[in-house]
Amino acid sequence: MIFVLTGAGLSAESGLGTFRDEGGLWTQYDLSEVATPEGFAADPEKVLAFYNARRANADSATPNAAHTALARLSQQTQTALVTQNVDSLLEAAGARDVIHMHGQLDWALCAGCGARWDAPAVMQVSDPCPACAAKATRPDVVWFGEMPYHMDRIENALSAADLFVAIGTSGTVYPAAGFVEMARAYGIETLELNLEPSGGRFDDGLYGPATDIVPDWVDRVLTA
Ligand code: OAD
């Protein structure tokens, strides 16, 4: 089984910004203001506006050749497809059973009762929760200081994998950044596909734009 971890570099060529590259989101916004529970408590309107803009951007984006290749991989071989991305471009490309460890822009979450529902294109602070009517609506994305989703499932999949592949992620945000070391501890082969080496301890790496290197790698895996 192949365990694939993807990051913002996968969607970069679909026009969605990465976080830490030149001009990236965290060079334009203060992450403590827009991606923490404290930032949301201090200024919910600002936080919803930030995610409304990201949702609009994601809604107008289309999957690129790397998303399509990973969808093919997930359809044709046993794959755990784990993403840190909050867009739905892997699903749009036809990937099955994508594990969104940092949540999804398409979903809204009630900070009061935990209910989830389809996020409207524009979320507003005054939107009541459809389950409990609390005006505590927030995007269903994981913020700094919060526990990523599906960690049990992810750790089970990682322990059962034969190959760990990280694609388009800088490896700076834990726990995802620690998966390569966990894979090594399990004796699993590790591979990085990225624009440039992230500095993580991988057995092997292929470097270049995701739309070039991911389809080539998937073709090799599926014809091996
Ligand atoms: P980063 O912005 O930290 O890293 C993006 C990575 O993609 C870098 O290693 C780039 O070199 C690489 N990259 C850029 N363009 C690429 C391309 N065309 N093809 C291939 N690789 C490319 O984004 P993430 O690692 O995804 O979390 O960031 C991890 C988490 O930090 C995000 O999920 C988000 C952010 O804060 C939360 O908001 C909780």
Side-chain angles (χ1 to χ4, degrees), residues 2 4 6 10 63-77 79 81 89-90 92-96 167 193 209-222:
I2 303 176
V4 176
T6 72
L10 177 69
N64 64 46
H67 295 107
T68 309
L70 290 178
R72 205 152 36 90
L73 184 77
S74 74
Q75 289 157 4
Q76 295 183 24
T77 191
T79 309
L81 205 42
L89 293 176
L90 280 167
R96 298 195 189 122
I167 301 177
L193 307 187
T211 55
D212 286 345
I213 58 175
V214 177
D216 284 355
W217 171 72
V218 168
D219 284 346
R220 256 181 290 141
V221 170
L222 292 178

Side-chain angles (χ1 to χ4, degrees), residues 180-198:
V180 62
E181 291 300 332
M182 284 169 65
R184 294 177 75 88
Y186 286 127
I188 298 164
E189 195 189 329
T190 58
L191 170 68
E192 170 169 63
L193 307 187
N194 207 344
L195 200 52
E196 50 199 33
S198 65

